[in-house]
Amino acid sequence: MDKNKDINQLDIPFAKRTYLNNSNSILLRRIFIFSPFLILLFSILTLLFIRNIELEPFRNLNFQAEKNKGHRILGHLPYKEIPKEKLVLIEQNIEVHIDMRDSLLKMREEAKKDGIYLVFLSGYRSINLQNEIFYSLKSIRNQEAAERARVSAPPGYSEHSTGFAIDIGDATQRETDFETEFEKTDAFKWLINNAARFHFKLSFNKDNKYIDYEPWHWRYEGSIEALKVFERSNI
Ligand SMILES: [Zn+2]
């Protein structure tokens, strides 16, 4: 009995060791056989992960474009308000999108070299300010919303809330500020001939079927973000 017990005590650990060794080698063999597939799977997952990260900024832009696919209100397209961190103050009371600052200032400098003095009248406007402008002016002028909308965008529908719009006047003819007569100024003539070089475009020309002609209102289309913001408007 004692002898049997001794044998069992020796046999059992030996048997266990043999089993474990076999199991390890089978496992290693399996890993070896499947390793090319595992490497392939890992590579595919890594690629998908990297692609996902690279696409992230464009997804945000697409989101903006998605928003812009909304319906017009009284002829105006909806625009999202620019995040505060992308706004820069270029002079007293004039804030613009950081993407357009250099181009805008360069344009004013170049105009000056030609003897033309551009003055910036209005840049970024918050949706709250637009709210005030739209509703207070509408009542001051005793206009209905549809009439007012021909000359001013309803809140949430102004290009000014994107930071990519700028109203420009002629420093030597301030009486034409925000007036159709601005088109007769040297500043306007200079802009028509030169603004495109600085990526600025007249937003509401004479052919616009919804909104009145605004010779003073220009928008920047010199960055991918700006182009995405105005994509719908350019269709
Ligand atoms: Zn404007």
Side-chain angles (χ1 to χ4, degrees), residues 155-191:
Y157 291 78
S158 171
E159 291 185 357
H160 284 280
S161 62
T162 68
F164 287 125
I166 184 84
D167 293 331
I168 301 175
D170 187 318
T172 65
Q173 286 178 270
R174 297 302 303 270
E175 68 281 6
T176 64
D177 286 0
F178 299 110
E179 299 290 342
T180 314
E181 285 65 44
F182 174 68
E183 71 172 345
K184 293 176 187 141
T185 64
D186 290 339
F188 179 74
K189 286 168 198 158
W190 188 91
L191 285 167

Side-chain angles (χ1 to χ4, degrees), residues 10 25 32 48 89 91 93 97 123 139 148 161 173 179 222:
L10 284 171
S25 72
F32 184 74
L48 284 174
L89 191 73
E91 60 185 53
N93 296 326
H97 194 293
S139 60
R148 183 67 206 146
S161 62
Q173 286 178 270
E179 299 290 342

Side-chain angles (χ1 to χ4, degrees), residues 122 125 158 160 165-167 178 204 214 216-218:
S122 181
R125 294 204 290 258
S158 171
H160 284 280
I166 184 84
D167 293 331
F178 299 110
F204 312 114
E214 289 189 3
W216 61 87
H217 179 109
W218 296 75

Side-chain angles (χ1 to χ4, degrees), residues 65 68-69 72 77 201 209-210 219 221 227 230-235:
N68 286 2
K69 278 180 187 161
R72 286 176 188 267
L77 286 165
K201 176 188 173 178
K209 61 177 170 177
Y210 302 107
R219 74 182 182 212
E221 294 191 346
L227 280 171
F230 298 120
E231 190 188 14
R232 171 84 175 146
S233 177
N234 281 328
I235 292 170

Side-chain angles (χ1 to χ4, degrees), residues 6-233:
D6 281 349
I7 287 166
N8 282 341
Q9 272 174 349
L10 284 171
D11 278 356
I12 290 165
F14 179 77
K16 265 187 186 168
R17 273 199 302 276
T18 309
Y19 173 76
L20 281 175
N21 282 344
N22 280 343
S23 153
N24 277 346
S25 72
I26 288 166
L27 188 67
L28 279 171
R29 213 175 300 148
R30 278 184 185 162
I31 288 173
F32 184 74
I33 290 166
F34 286 110
S35 62
F37 300 105
L38 286 173
I39 289 167
L40 189 67
L41 184 69
F42 183 73
S43 309
I44 290 169
L45 287 174
T46 310
L47 265 175
L48 284 174
F49 183 64
I50 291 168
R51 268 193 72 199
N52 211 26
I53 287 176
E54 281 176 352
L55 287 175
E56 207 51 49
F58 294 102
R59 277 202 188 149
N60 290 339
L61 295 175
N62 286 341
F63 176 65
Q64 176 71 54
E66 273 311 308
K67 282 205 70 123
N68 286 2
K69 278 180 187 161
H71 295 294
R72 286 176 188 267
I73 283 188
L74 301 170
H76 295 266
L77 286 165
Y79 290 106
K80 215 177 150 194
E81 191 154 320
I82 177 184
K84 291 277 174 282
E85 64 271 16
K86 288 186 178 174
L87 275 177
V88 281
L89 191 73
I90 56 166
E91 60 185 53
Q92 206 183 359
N93 296 326
I94 306 284
E95 282 181 295
V96 297
H97 194 293
I98 190 162
D99 286 3
M100 108 172 177
R101 175 187 50 194
D102 292 349
S103 247
L104 183 63
L105 295 178
K106 179 97 176 121
M107 183 165 76
R108 185 168 62 179
E109 279 307 305
E110 291 298 310
K112 203 186 281 177
K113 286 179 193 168
D114 293 338
I116 303 297
Y117 297 90
L118 303 180
V119 52
F120 302 145
L121 307 174
S122 181
Y124 159 76
R125 294 204 290 258
S126 69
I127 287 176
N128 277 344
L129 178 60
Q130 197 65 30
N131 195 60
E132 236 165 77
I133 291 172
F134 187 77
Y135 290 105
S136 69
L137 284 183
K138 180 161 88 74
S139 60
I140 289 169
R141 296 187 182 185
N142 192 26
Q143 286 172 320
E144 287 179 7
E147 284 176 83
R148 183 67 206 146
R150 291 205 64 85
V151 288
S152 181
Y157 291 78
S158 171
E159 291 185 357
H160 284 280
S161 62
T162 68
F164 287 125
I166 184 84
D167 293 331
I168 301 175
D170 187 318
T172 65
Q173 286 178 270
R174 297 302 303 270
E175 68 281 6
T176 64
D177 286 0
F178 299 110
E179 299 290 342
T180 314
E181 285 65 44
F182 174 68
E183 71 172 345
K184 293 176 187 141
T185 64
D186 290 339
F188 179 74
K189 286 168 198 158
W190 188 91
L191 285 167
I192 285 294
N193 291 325
N194 298 280
R197 284 200 286 135
F198 305 91
H199 316 290
F200 284 90
K201 176 188 173 178
L202 194 63
S203 291
F204 312 114
N205 59 29
K206 283 179 174 169
D207 304 327
N208 195 296
K209 61 177 170 177
Y210 302 107
I211 300 151
D212 280 0
Y213 174 48
E214 289 189 3
W216 61 87
H217 179 109
W218 296 75
R219 74 182 182 212
Y220 181 71
E221 294 191 346
S223 73
I224 293 293
E225 188 178 336
L227 280 171
K228 284 282 176 185
V229 162
F230 298 120
E231 190 188 14
R232 171 84 175 146
S233 177

